Amino acid sequence: MYVVEHALLNLAKNKGRNILLGVIIFAIITATVVALAIFNTTGTVLDETRAALQSAVRIGPQRQTVGGGGGATAAGDGGGGGGGATAGSGDGSGGATAAGDGGGGGGAITAGGGVGATVAVSLDQYLSFSESEFLDGSDIRESSRNTDGVDAVYYLKRPDMLAAFEAELRSKGLPGDYTVRTDESTFDSVAGPVESLQNLALTFLIIVLVLGAVIIVLLSVVAIRERKYEIGVLRAMGMKKKKVALGLWIEIIAITCICFALGIGAGTMLSQPVSDAITAGQAQSADTGSTSLSDRLSGMDNNEPEKIDISVSGATALQILGISVLLASMAGLISVSRITKCEPIKILMERN
């Protein structure tokens, strides 16, 4: 108990030195709160985005392959006979012919429709598809971008229900040349700005912790060297090395806890503005359009970047507290170990 009381009394006796150390620790904790809050929140957003994209299903016609029963044929340059270009009808019958340069032996590139052109799915059919037990909801709207004039996204309750949902659509009359696909391929474009923000937060966090640890260790070593005579007196009075080290450790932990309480509040207030500023800067430099998940899924354009709500959860606060105590303990042990190795007589003689 005496060790604890002595340590707390020393906080008031060495105000100047402890205030300087406290300011440094406060700055480190505040920066750590901002970086870790952004990193954890963006990680959650990425997980939610990935799950949403795996559950978002689109329906659309397959892309027509080059070639077909009847189409437009352009004859290449060749040898003997006359070449030509033929535009055929949908069933492959002949049409208008224009003579071309070259001979009959030339190669040809064919692009045609062929028999059995894709039948568009009506808006009523898209709406009927949304009435499924496998869905959590849907987003269906008219759009001039698609062949059917409809842009539809269906949200599965679970990603593994895709096969069952497709079978249900086929039974409801979905043409065989229509595909049922998820939007996983768009994850990079949707989550790119969020991943950049997460990587930036991680880099900043590492830099803060490394530089913070070095600064705290140096300040602690200087502070302990100034108190070398005090430690020698305590040792000469019979106090054991462990108790001396414990008292010094309690001092730096007490300072860290005070700075943690202040830093967690300051960091929480700064996290959202910092995140918004970085996100806005990325949107201006990249100019990639919409970063909103809902707008990307619905095919709409939005020049405003999606705002990420940054919050400091209980788990994040505990992580920051653990990091703070670990850095303070490491700095205290390194500095104390250099002093407690000396014998008290030698310390007092050096003082004289």
Side-chain angles (χ1 to χ4, degrees):
M1 192 64 183
Y2 169 77
V3 176
V4 176
E5 292 178 358
H6 180 74
L8 296 179
L9 288 174
N10 277 334
L11 292 178
K13 291 179 180 178
N14 305 293
K15 284 192 271 188
R17 182 168 52 238
N18 290 333
I19 289 175
L20 175 61
L21 183 60
V23 169
I24 298 297
I25 295 177
F26 169 77
I28 294 171
I29 290 177
T30 301
T32 302
V33 171
V34 173
L36 197 56
I38 294 175
F39 179 79
N40 288 343
T41 303
T42 51
T44 302
V45 170
L46 287 175
D47 292 339
E48 292 175 351
T49 302
R50 185 178 288 106
L53 289 173
Q54 289 174 345
S55 299
V57 177
R58 286 185 179 274
I59 301 172
Q62 295 179 349
R63 292 183 178 179
Q64 297 296 320
T65 57
V66 176
T73 305
D77 295 335
T86 303
S89 61
D91 59 357
S93 59
T97 304
D101 297 332
I109 302 174
T110 304
V115 181
T118 299
V119 178
V121 176
S122 66
L123 176 60
D124 291 338
Q125 286 179 293
Y126 277 112
L127 292 173
S128 67
F129 293 158
S130 65
E131 299 173 358
S132 172
E133 61 178 347
F134 302 112
L135 299 180
D136 250 344
S138 61
D139 185 8
I140 303 172
R141 65 185 73 187
E142 295 183 0
S143 173
S144 59
R145 297 186 177 189
N146 299 327
T147 305
D148 298 333
V150 179
D151 185 52
V153 182
Y154 301 93
Y155 301 99
L156 297 173
K157 293 180 180 178
R158 297 195 313 271
D160 57 4
M161 292 181 173
L162 178 62
F165 179 59
E166 181 177 1
E168 181 181 294
L169 295 182
R170 301 299 181 192
S171 66
K172 289 183 177 181
L174 182 69
D177 51 4
Y178 269 66
T179 59
V180 181
R181 64 190 185 279
T182 61
D183 272 1
E184 291 183 69
S185 59
T186 64
F187 177 78
D188 290 339
S189 62
V190 175
V194 183
E195 285 185 324
S196 299
L197 181 60
Q198 185 185 42
N199 293 333
L200 184 62
L202 179 60
T203 303
F204 181 68
L205 177 63
I206 293 173
I207 293 174
V208 168
L209 292 180
V210 172
L211 291 180
V214 172
I215 293 173
I216 291 176
V217 169
L218 291 177
L219 286 177
S220 298
V221 169
V222 171
I224 295 300
R225 285 174 65 104
E226 292 178 358
R227 299 175 61 184
K228 189 174 181 180
Y229 181 73
E230 175 190 343
I231 294 173
V233 172
L234 293 174
R235 292 286 314 284
M237 293 172 58
M239 183 175 287
K240 296 181 179 180
K241 292 182 180 181
K242 291 182 179 180
K243 288 188 176 182
V244 173
L246 178 61
L248 297 174
W249 179 78
I250 291 174
E251 288 183 34
I252 194 169
I253 291 299
I255 296 173
T256 302
C257 289
I258 295 172
C259 295
F260 171 78
L262 299 175
I264 200 76
T268 302
M269 290 188 294
L270 291 175
S271 296
Q272 189 66 57
V274 170
S275 174
D276 293 343
I278 296 174
T279 303
Q282 288 179 339
Q284 291 176 0
S285 60
D287 194 21
T288 55
S290 171
T291 58
S292 170
L293 174 60
S294 59
D295 287 341
R296 291 296 181 90
L297 292 179
S298 61
M300 297 177 62
D301 289 330
N302 179 13
N303 293 327
E304 293 296 328
E306 183 179 20
K307 180 178 179 180
I308 301 175
D309 293 327
I310 305 298
S311 61
V312 180
S313 63
T316 301
L318 289 177
Q319 289 175 345
I320 296 169
L321 179 60
I323 292 172
S324 304
V325 172
L326 179 63
L327 290 179
S329 299
M330 180 181 67
L333 292 175
I334 291 175
S335 57
V336 169
S337 63
R338 301 188 55 169
I339 299 299
T340 53
K341 287 180 180 178
C342 301
E343 294 298 327
I345 299 299
K346 182 179 179 181
I347 295 176
L348 296 176
M349 288 178 64
E350 290 177 355
R351 175 72 174 183
N352 294 333

